[in-house]
């Protein structure tokens, strides 16, 4: 290639670079700005916020909004239940996914084909909202904590992610353990569990995010059980009750009533931050695992 | 393999006994999946009954296809179907165009620290609940929100737009919220696919004097073609199961005409009014259409491109 062609080829590339970095920068700002804005408003004096114009720095820095929202009983109960369901739900989901995945990864397991198909089908067909609701009612799960964690224990998608990961491990390790007299459970416990940590970290994140973020099951099954409320549900009530024309939840409880009276954005945004921050603290640590997990899951399943 | 041969030689029960730990590890969850995934399908029988609470299965009155007839005569149903289809198709198109575009553009960023930072930031909204996203979107799109501020500030519009109260904008609000929330996350898979494209191809193109745009067009895009097609088939299968979270949380009484989707319709009519049989008929309609779409799209793509998931 002579010098002139290279130069001619380089000029469009230069423009292309400018285009690339502009797009990326814009996308990053669009993603970050709303979060920074919410944070700034939550840290701003609530009467001052009404005047508007807060961007990414608080004008009158204060932590009062946070101390105020933590005096709402609903928020503390919600925090407690949300943490509890996240811990329990994640743990149970991990146990089921890793056990099933190990059994299904064994090519000599005679139930393998049936169980794989049986699980895969659950990803495509579901009974729908109403049969599911009636099932929960018939199992007497309405108004219980169990309704948060029991239905989601087995997830075919998670099982397949872990199984693909185990498939990538050398089988010789299991074979030599068998020769040493280890039974299948020992192999699962002593060899597979420690080796699948990256995959388990990925699905732990998925499970935890799912548990932490869900609000609809609270709305549907436990809407009137104040002691089983969740953070997302409390935030949902607060946001909906002040939304234009929605009228909100008819059984709006204390917190949203108080909120309706004061209705400052700053307090709402403080709750939003409390609901958001815990999950955002976790994901950067697991990031390098889930990128691989996602790719494995999508390619193999 | 040694194992396979021994399985075939000995009887089923013998192997079961030998593999008892594998059965212990899996059977409890098989039963579990039966209860929570398969039992609700049994509930479909309700759609063919005049279901009354408190009666057992055998005491229900069977009505054949009456509930479906009722459903297909309901104007609200067609409205919900139209809304569902519209938002699904918009979401489907946006859900492919933006992540692919973002992945390709991000792949062109050479400064790896910056690239990693942008990627981490782009996942952020995915981890936040729809409740939070709805709150943020409502805030940003408010009449005194940043979007209106910018549009007025740049003299693109003179009068502030009431995004959340205008039913004609609802579909776009939902779709753009979805784009904001999921673009970075959905780009992961395309980025991974792009990484898998051979570096020698780019090398060869560079030697031939191809510009970076031409490299994208002739190497990157064909390189991730099969990934795109597989994801497309799976998405088409889920076309009608877009759920109702966004519509529920972003909607309000002013935009109800445009926000009611099939699942919301089933929720309001089925559970809200206690018309369980009618609501279940809606659920069934939804599932059946989804399965048909899955098979049809899979079949078409199999013919056209020799790529398929089944």
């Amino acid at each position: 290639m002579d010098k002139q062609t290279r130069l001619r080829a380089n000029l469009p590339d230069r423009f292309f670079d400018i285009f690339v970095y502009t797009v990326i920068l814009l996308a990053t700002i669009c993603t970050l700005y709303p979060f920074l804005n919410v944070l700034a408003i939550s840290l701003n004096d609530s009467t001052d916020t009404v005047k508007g114009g807060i961007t990414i720095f608080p004008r009158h820095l204060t932590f009062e909004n946070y101390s105020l929202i933590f005096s709402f009983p609903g928020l503390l109960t919600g925090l407690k239940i949300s943490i509890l369901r996240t811990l329990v739900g994640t743990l149970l989901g991990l146990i089921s996914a890793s056990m099933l995945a190990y059994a299904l990864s064994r090519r000599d397991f005679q139930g393998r084909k049936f169980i794989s198909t049986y699980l895969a089908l659950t990803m495509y067909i579901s009974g729908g909202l109403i049969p599911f609701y009636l099932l929960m009612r018939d199992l007497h799960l309405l108004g219980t904590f169990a309704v948060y964690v029991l239905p989601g224990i087995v997830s075919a998608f998670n099982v397949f992610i872990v199984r693909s990961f185990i498939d990538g491990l050398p089988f010789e390790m299991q074979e030599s353990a068998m020769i040493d007299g280890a039974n299948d459970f020992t192999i699962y416990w002593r060899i597979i569990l420690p080796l699948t940590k990256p995959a388990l970290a990925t699905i732990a994140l998925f499970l935890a995010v799912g548990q932490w973020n869900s609000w609809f099951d609270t709305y549907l099954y436990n809407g009137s059980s104040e002691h089983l409320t969740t953070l997302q549900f409390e935030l949902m009530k607060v946001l909906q009750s002040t939304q234009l024309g929605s009228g909100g939840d008819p059984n709006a409880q204390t917190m949203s009533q108080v909120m309706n009276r004061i209705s400052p954005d700053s307090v709402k945004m403080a709750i939003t931050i409390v609901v958001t921050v815990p999950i955002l603290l976790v994901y950067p640590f697991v990031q390098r695992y889930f990128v691989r997990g996602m790719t494995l899951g999508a390619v193999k399943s | 393999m040694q194992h396979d041969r021994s399985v075939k030689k000995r009887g089923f029960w013998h192997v079961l006994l030998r593999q008892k730990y594998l059965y212990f590890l899996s059977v409890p969850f098989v039963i579990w999946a039966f209860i929570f995934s398969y039992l609700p399908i049994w509930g479909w029988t309700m759609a063919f009954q005049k279901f009354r609470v408190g009666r057992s299965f055998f005491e229900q009155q069977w009505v054949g296809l009456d509930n479906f007839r009722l459903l297909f005569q309901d104007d609200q149903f067609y409205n919900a179907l139209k809304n569902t289809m519209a938002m699904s198709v918009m979401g489907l198109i946006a859900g492919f165009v933006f992540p692919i575009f973002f992945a390709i553009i991000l792949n062109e960023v050479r400064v790896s620290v910056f690239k990693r930072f942008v990627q981490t930031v782009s996942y952020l909204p995915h981890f936040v609940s729809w409740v939070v996203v709805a709150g943020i979107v409502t805030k940003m799109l408010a009449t005194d929100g940043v979007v209106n501020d910018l549009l007025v500030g740049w003299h693109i519009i003179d009068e502030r737009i009431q995004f959340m109260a205008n039913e004609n904008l609802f579909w776009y609000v939902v779709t753009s919220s979805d784009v904001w929330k999921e673009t970075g996350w959905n780009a992961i898979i395309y980025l991974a696919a792009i990484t898998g494209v051979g570096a020698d191809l780019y090398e060869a193109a560079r030697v031939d004097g191809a510009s970076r745009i031409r490299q994208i067009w002739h190497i990157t895009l064909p390189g991730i073609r099969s990934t795109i097609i597989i994801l497309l088939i799976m998405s088409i299968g889920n076309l009608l199961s877009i759920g109702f979270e966004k519509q529920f949380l972003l909607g309000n009484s002013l935009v109800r005409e445009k926000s009611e989707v099939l699942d919301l319709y089933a929720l309001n009519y089925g559970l809200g009014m206690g018309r369980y049989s009618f609501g279940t008929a809606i659920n069934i309609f939804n599932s059946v259409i989804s399965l048909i779409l899955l098979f049809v799209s899979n079949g078409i793509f199999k013919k056209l491109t020799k790529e398929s998931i089944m």
Side-chain angles (χ1 to χ4, degrees), chain B residues 100 102-108 187-198 202 220-221 223-224 227:
Chain B
I100 293 172
F102 182 70
I104 289 174
I105 291 286
L106 191 61
N107 187 53
E108 297 295 327
I188 290 181
I189 200 117
Y190 300 112
L191 271 168
I194 293 174
T195 320
V197 179
Y202 291 103
T220 312
L221 274 175
I224 59 174
T227 310

Side-chain angles (χ1 to χ4, degrees), chain A residues 13 17 30 35 37 96 108 110 118 127 129-132 134 150 213 215 232 240 245 265 279 283 287 298, chain B residues 12 16 19 23 29-30 32 34 36 38 40 44 46 120 124 127 129 139-140 180 189 212 245 249 253 279:
Chain A
D13 281 1
D17 259 336
C30 285
F35 289 107
N37 183 241
S96 91
D108 56 329
Q110 63 178 354
Y118 172 92
L129 188 66
I130 288 156
F132 202 80
L134 292 175
L150 295 190
N213 281 347
W215 59 277
Q232 303 285 349
Q240 295 271 313
D265 267 2
I279 214 73
Y283 92 88
Q287 189 175 332
Chain B
F12 176 83
L16 188 138
Q19 297 185 333
Y23 279 98
F29 301 111
V30 170
W32 206 256
F34 179 77
F36 288 100
Y38 282 92
W44 280 14
M46 265 191 305
T120 307
L124 225 132
F127 290 97
S129 72
K139 179 110 200 62
M140 296 295 133
W180 183 76
I189 200 117
R212 302 228 325 254
E245 247 191 306
L249 293 167
S253 57

Side-chain angles (χ1 to χ4, degrees), chain B residues 113-134:
Chain B
V113 181
F114 181 61
K115 189 173 166 181
R116 216 171 312 134
F117 170 76
V118 171
Q119 214 178 347
T120 307
V121 167
S122 76
Y123 303 149
L124 225 132
H126 172 79
F127 290 97
V128 170
S129 72
W130 266 108
V131 179
V132 169
V133 173

Side-chain angles (χ1 to χ4, degrees), chain B residues 46-112:
Chain B
M46 265 191 305
F48 306 97
Q49 299 167 340
K50 190 173 175 183
F51 183 79
R52 293 235 180 86
V53 178
R55 289 190 189 181
S56 83
F57 176 73
F58 300 100
E59 294 162 349
Q60 303 289 351
Q61 185 192 340
W62 291 84
V63 296
L65 295 173
D66 278 4
N67 288 308
F68 289 92
R69 230 165 275 143
L70 221 59
L71 183 66
F72 293 131
Q73 283 162 5
D74 190 8
D75 288 341
Q76 286 257 32
F77 165 71
Y78 291 102
N79 186 43
L81 183 62
K82 189 182 82 189
N83 290 335
T84 311
M85 287 304 268
M87 278 183 265
S88 310
V89 172
M90 285 169 71
L92 183 77
I93 295 169
F96 272 87
V97 173
F98 285 92
I100 293 172
F101 178 75
F102 182 70
I104 289 174
I105 291 286
L106 191 61
N107 187 53
E108 297 295 327
V109 173
R110 305 288 172 197
V111 191
S112 74

